[in-house]
């Protein structure tokens, strides 16, 4: 299956990843809150971590065994939230 990876995302190990950097912890946390609401609405949840002003996100569809259109769609939506 071929997927068009959104700009800024990197395909790795059956998923896509991206690092987002913000001015401070509060801005990073606000972004994570927006992503959490979008992920819940899509019923598709990221693997992620936060260290101060950085948020690292990995998207993969575990029950499908790798990258799917759900990951691409959520990545595109996440890009609008940063």
């Amino acid at each position: 299956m071929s997927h068009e990876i959104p700009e800024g995302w990197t395909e790795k190990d059956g998923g896509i990843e991206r690092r987002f950097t913000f001015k401070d912890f509060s801005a990073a946390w606000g972004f994570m809150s927006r992503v959490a609401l979008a992920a819940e609405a899509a019923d598709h949840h990221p693997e992620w971590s936060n260290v101060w002003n950085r948020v690292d996100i990995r998207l993969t569809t575990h029950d499908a065994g790798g990258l799917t259109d759900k990951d691409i769609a959520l990545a595109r939506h996440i890009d609008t939230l940063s």
Side-chain angles (χ1 to χ4, degrees), residues 1-6 9-18 44-47 57-76 78:
M1 180 176 272
S2 175
H3 300 280
E4 187 174 333
I5 308 303
W9 292 82
T10 302
E11 190 168 5
K12 183 177 177 186
D13 299 328
I16 54 176
E17 300 177 353
R18 182 165 182 189
H44 192 57
H45 305 93
E47 298 172 17
I57 299 179
R58 175 176 166 72
L59 299 171
T60 189
T61 305
H62 295 284
D63 59 352
L67 188 63
T68 68
D69 290 337
K70 286 179 81 170
D71 303 302
I72 301 300
L74 186 54
R76 288 191 176 120
I78 289 169

Side-chain angles (χ1 to χ4, degrees), residues 30-63:
F31 169 71
M32 290 179 71
S33 296
R34 293 187 299 277
V35 171
L37 293 172
E40 189 65 17
D43 193 29
H44 192 57
H45 305 93
E47 298 172 17
W48 60 4
S49 66
N50 164 245
V51 177
W52 189 59
N53 70 335
R54 289 190 329 259
V55 178
D56 293 318
I57 299 179
R58 175 176 166 72
L59 299 171
T60 189
T61 305
H62 295 284
D63 59 352

